[in-house]
Amino acid sequence: MPVPSPVPDPASNPRELLTLGIVAHVDAGKTSLTERLLYDAGVTDRLGSVDAGTTRTDSMDVERRRGITVRAAVTSLPIADLDVTIVDTPGHPDFITEVERSLTVLDAAVLVLSAVEGVQPQTVVIFKALQRIGVPTVVFVNKLDRSGADLARTVAAIRRRLTPRLVALNAASGQGTQSVAVQPLSLTSEPVLEAVAEQDEALLRAWADGEHPGTGAVRKALRRAVAAGTLTPVCAGSAITGAGVDGLRSAIRQLLPPAPRPAGPLAATVFAVDHDDRGRRSWLRLWAGELSARQLVSVAGRRPERVTEVTVSRPRDADGTDRQRATAGQVAAVRGPSALRIGDSIGQPPARRRHRFSAGVLQTLVTPVDPRRRGALFAALTQLAHEDPLIGLRLDQTDPDAPRAAVAVHGEVQREVIATVLAERFGVTARFSELSVICLERVRGSGEAAEWLNRNGNPYLAGIGLRIDPAPVDHGVRFDPGVQRGNLPPAFIAATEEGVRAALQQGRFGWQVTDCTITMTASGYCPRQSHRHQKFNKAMSSVGADFRLLAQVVVMTALRRAGTTVCQPVDAFELTVPTDRIAAMVKALGRSGAQLDAGAAGTAVPAAAEPAGDAADIGGQDDVTLTGLIPTAAVPELMRGLPDLSGGEAVFASELACYQPVSDRRPPARKRSGVDPANREQWFRAIPR
């Protein structure tokens, strides 16, 4: 992110604040729109170009070279008496978690569509996320200057595929040419008035009584509907030529609700972490209170840390100096605290802004091209994992002589970006394996096991009994010391839990085990002792390592007896296709292992499919929407075949929904890292006390 500049002290600055997200499917033109808004506001003296790599918000080398946004970036501009902080987000599906993290800190959003491509798969995903979180949204139909642009067709597609509750605020002439012109529609014109009145009872009653509401009354009603999420304004234009951008600026100022600025205790959300030439920065959205340099901040369960610097984006001067205070409604870059992580909450942010993010379900193994750089590679990936914990970094020791880093990602492009960042930022060239799906294991039944002190070749000065039981989905792993809480020193109980959790990282088939409860049923230990007149002797006294290592053997034996089921990630999908393509699509979904919603499978026009719009909207042909579940591993191949199967008319969107048991007789297995704790004798031989 570019380093922002300070704002005047809010106490002497009555201007309203708005944190605005610019969101879109990749290549819809959101970064170009951001550049146009900055230029028109006088923040920059020239238009940045995505193709030339001169945009203000794409600060990473890889972003400039590839022409895509990888990290959310923050900048600011004024619109009349409103100070707008813009969060420019990635558009590629591989970075959807970066987008969703940013959505949770917004007051409002501009969703950008291309007038040529229309509603694309990522457009649907982002709009649903905006609705789920409750972010008021304005749609901007961009690229009216491009050949093939069609505003009417795009608005019809928005109505079909996003929301029927919309109001178009522009008309256009000269579409598809550089001389395209955009004309604003009067708020009192019949199409606008009718759309607003449908969502505002008072306005509808006045209109029905023969009154003709004025512009002010319609604007207030439209503003209320936008804030409530019951109506979506649609503006149009071209970020490249500037046509229609003034209308978008007016909509932002007049229709979107500004940030509330409550006093009280500090409440903030960490939505990004990055590094620049001055070190680590945490990006916070403040919901209440204020944050100053030298102030202590903490997240529940962690020790407080002192803030050394607070930087707030300034809309008028790109080269200002750092300021030392931020208040509610602002976005700030904070230096000092090293424990802050993406998704952390300070204080009590609004409940609707808390969101559980899903880690990538695809995995790639990373090794350095130069084996001597293995340590540097792990250090670099660790730093990247601090910035984005969802990459799920772990050490894979399948080959003890050449350990590899396992990284969770969302797709091929994210893998390529990580490789580029490693090379350019850290100077490490790395090899990446092919992507594979990350499965997990769930416990089928109950199982018990025990290893007794000084029996059956147990080399540890510890005795442990454990029982493992299945738990509900999303329960996670819970360790219960049982009655041993009073029989065993707390340090040994903690060491046992540590060993149990370490063992469950790799279950019977090599996948992580989840959704279970482990109860300690028995224990034994040798108290601290020594030979006469000598110091403590751990050769005859139990230590934490005894319990930590033995617990791994016991829990794996119990796990074998309980049994586990390998479960694969499954996406919920929504597929919109023309009616005449339904039969081909149903067959393709069947080959992919998809489960159509009830009543859909095996019919030419599935009963569960819903018409997505009027025939007139698309030249006399209905669209139909199919929904259901599909194995995540099958999504890439299905998407590659969609253009041919649908004549280029399909819109497919999916997101992780759940994990389902793999139906194969031989479920996918992953080779273990290091010693197999399920092999008791091997474990005892490999790691003697």
Side-chain angles (χ1 to χ4, degrees):
M1 296 183 185
V3 178
S5 312
V7 296
D9 188 337
S12 60
N13 176 28
R15 297 170 62 83
E16 292 184 315
L17 304 175
L18 178 72
T19 299
L20 180 72
I22 308 292
V23 294
H25 185 101
V26 66
D27 289 334
K30 60 181 175 48
T31 300
S32 296
L33 177 61
T34 302
E35 291 294 321
R36 171 60 66 176
L37 290 170
L38 291 170
Y39 177 76
D40 287 353
V43 175
T44 58
D45 56 7
R46 62 183 177 84
L47 279 170
S49 167
V50 173
D51 293 336
T54 57
T55 58
R56 177 168 174 168
T57 52
D58 286 345
S59 58
M60 297 172 63
D61 290 342
V62 64
E63 293 178 306
R64 291 171 173 160
R65 186 176 61 255
R66 294 182 63 99
I68 62 173
T69 300
V70 171
R71 293 282 174 84
V74 176
T75 188
S76 294
L77 59 89
I79 299 179
D81 60 345
L82 180 70
D83 284 345
V84 180
T85 299
I86 289 183
V87 180
D88 183 26
T89 63
H92 197 281
D94 285 9
F95 304 100
I96 185 59
T97 53
E98 184 83 12
V99 177
E100 291 195 356
R101 284 194 292 246
S102 301
L103 298 187
T104 61
V105 302
L106 302 179
D107 296 311
V110 174
L111 176 61
V112 184
L113 281 73
S114 166
V116 179
E117 287 81 10
V119 177
Q120 297 171 277
Q122 190 76 345
T123 314
V124 177
V125 173
I126 293 173
F127 187 76
K128 287 185 175 181
L130 289 166
Q131 288 187 310
R132 182 174 64 246
I133 299 171
V135 179
T137 303
V138 170
V139 172
F140 183 72
V141 179
N142 191 26
K143 301 189 178 183
L144 286 183
D145 59 308
R146 278 185 52 195
S147 175
D150 189 329
L151 177 58
R153 183 189 64 207
T154 305
V155 171
I158 295 170
R159 196 181 303 278
R160 292 196 314 275
R161 295 172 176 173
L162 298 184
T163 175
R165 298 194 301 268
L166 59 83
V167 54
L169 301 180
N170 300 125
S173 59
Q175 297 182 58
T177 69
Q178 290 292 307
S179 58
V180 62
V182 174
Q183 301 83 35
L185 298 177
S186 170
L187 293 183
T188 57
S189 64
E190 186 169 341
V192 176
L193 186 56
E194 181 180 350
V196 178
E198 285 182 0
Q199 306 301 325
D200 191 280
E201 186 175 342
L203 193 69
L204 179 61
R205 187 182 305 113
W207 194 21
D209 290 342
E211 299 178 23
H212 196 76
T215 299
V218 178
R219 181 180 295 114
K220 288 181 181 179
L222 179 53
R223 186 183 178 100
R224 288 193 297 268
V226 172
T230 59
L231 198 59
T232 301
V234 179
C235 300
S238 167
I240 297 299
T241 68
V245 176
D246 282 345
L248 175 63
R249 288 166 56 87
S250 296
I252 292 171
R253 179 64 193 96
Q254 297 175 10
L255 302 181
L256 296 178
R261 306 181 69 176
L266 173 65
T269 299
V270 181
F271 70 95
V273 174
D274 67 4
H275 290 71
D276 62 5
D277 54 2
R278 296 177 56 201
R280 188 179 194 271
R281 295 181 299 184
S282 301
W283 291 83
L284 279 66
R285 163 64 196 264
L286 275 68
W287 303 105
E290 65 177 43
L291 178 64
S292 304
R294 309 305 301 165
Q295 184 174 334
L296 289 173
V297 298
S298 64
V299 177
R302 304 179 200 159
R303 65 179 181 82
E305 294 187 278
R306 194 171 300 279
V307 173
T308 59
E309 180 181 288
V310 177
T311 306
V312 178
S313 184
R314 180 177 182 177
R316 288 178 185 76
D317 182 4
D319 300 315
T321 57
D322 293 336
R323 69 179 304 257
Q324 298 299 303
R325 185 162 71 100
T327 63
Q330 294 181 324
V331 172
V334 174
R335 299 185 192 270
S338 61
L340 292 180
R341 299 289 182 265
I342 292 173
D344 282 348
S345 295
I346 300 170
Q348 293 295 322
R352 70 186 179 91
R353 300 297 184 169
R354 299 170 195 160
H355 188 68
R356 179 182 175 185
F357 303 107
S358 299
V361 295
L362 301 175
Q363 176 181 270
T364 181
L365 299 177
V366 190
T367 54
V369 172
D370 182 353
R372 295 171 298 179
R373 301 283 288 163
R374 196 177 305 277
L377 173 66
F378 290 156
L381 287 172
T382 299
Q383 186 164 326
L384 292 179
H386 280 304
E387 296 174 15
D388 185 359
L390 294 182
I391 69 173
L393 177 65
R394 70 176 184 84
L395 184 63
D396 181 278
Q397 292 181 295
T398 303
D399 182 356
D401 297 326
R404 298 176 292 180
V407 175
V409 296
H410 285 83
E412 294 280 356
V413 173
Q414 188 181 9
R415 180 179 65 172
E416 293 175 18
V417 168
I418 292 174
T420 303
V421 171
L422 287 173
E424 295 182 351
R425 179 172 157 189
F426 299 99
V428 179
T429 305
R431 295 190 184 94
F432 289 75
S433 70
E434 291 297 317
L435 294 179
S436 60
V437 171
I438 301 174
C439 298
L440 56 79
E441 296 181 47
R442 289 198 173 106
V443 178
R444 285 205 305 265
S446 296
E448 287 193 58
E451 290 286 346
W452 304 107
L453 186 65
N454 297 323
R455 293 190 199 172
N456 300 324
N458 178 3
Y460 305 112
L461 293 183
I464 299 175
L466 296 171
R467 185 182 72 251
I468 188 166
D469 299 296
V473 172
D474 293 332
H475 176 276
V477 175
R478 186 171 71 88
F479 177 79
D480 182 359
V483 297
Q484 304 308 311
R485 186 186 300 277
N487 298 337
L488 199 62
F492 293 165
I493 293 177
T496 301
E497 180 176 0
E498 184 181 342
V500 166
R501 293 187 180 277
L504 293 180
Q505 293 301 307
Q506 297 184 93
R508 297 171 58 234
F509 298 94
W511 306 105
Q512 183 176 353
V513 180
T514 187
D515 299 336
C516 60
T517 299
I518 295 89
T519 305
M520 201 169 182
T521 58
S523 65
Y525 71 101
C526 296
R528 289 175 63 91
Q529 55 187 310
S530 64
H531 295 291
R532 186 184 298 270
H533 306 304
Q534 293 184 3
K535 296 181 179 179
F536 164 71
N537 186 344
K538 71 174 185 178
M540 55 193 304
S541 307
S542 298
V543 294
D546 290 311
F547 286 85
R548 184 169 55 253
L549 297 172
L550 184 60
Q552 298 183 49
V553 181
V554 177
V555 77
M556 290 306 297
T557 302
L559 197 64
R560 277 204 316 275
R561 294 170 179 171
T564 61
T565 300
V566 176
C567 299
Q568 65 180 341
V570 174
D571 283 11
F573 73 88
E574 183 176 284
L575 174 62
T576 302
V577 292
T579 302
D580 63 349
R581 303 280 181 162
I582 281 291
M585 289 311 311
V586 169
K587 291 179 181 178
L589 288 168
R591 289 193 299 268
S592 299
Q595 307 166 29
L596 292 174
D597 284 344
T603 59
V605 180
E610 298 181 358
D614 295 331
D617 287 342
I618 52 174
Q621 178 172 288
D622 279 334
D623 276 0
V624 173
T625 298
L626 298 170
T627 59
L629 299 174
I630 183 171
T632 303
V635 170
E637 182 178 354
L638 177 68
M639 292 189 67
R640 283 193 293 269
L642 277 183
D644 291 337
L645 289 170
S646 66
E649 293 293 326
V651 175
F652 180 89
S654 69
E655 60 183 349
L656 180 66
C658 60
Y659 281 79
Q660 290 185 344
V662 176
S663 58
D664 297 348
R665 184 171 300 178
R666 297 183 62 183
R670 181 170 62 180
K671 190 176 179 182
R672 292 183 177 280
S673 299
V675 178
D676 180 0
N679 188 322
R680 180 179 182 274
E681 288 71 22
Q682 183 193 62
W683 184 264
F684 288 162
R685 286 197 307 271
I687 310 180
R689 188 174 191 275

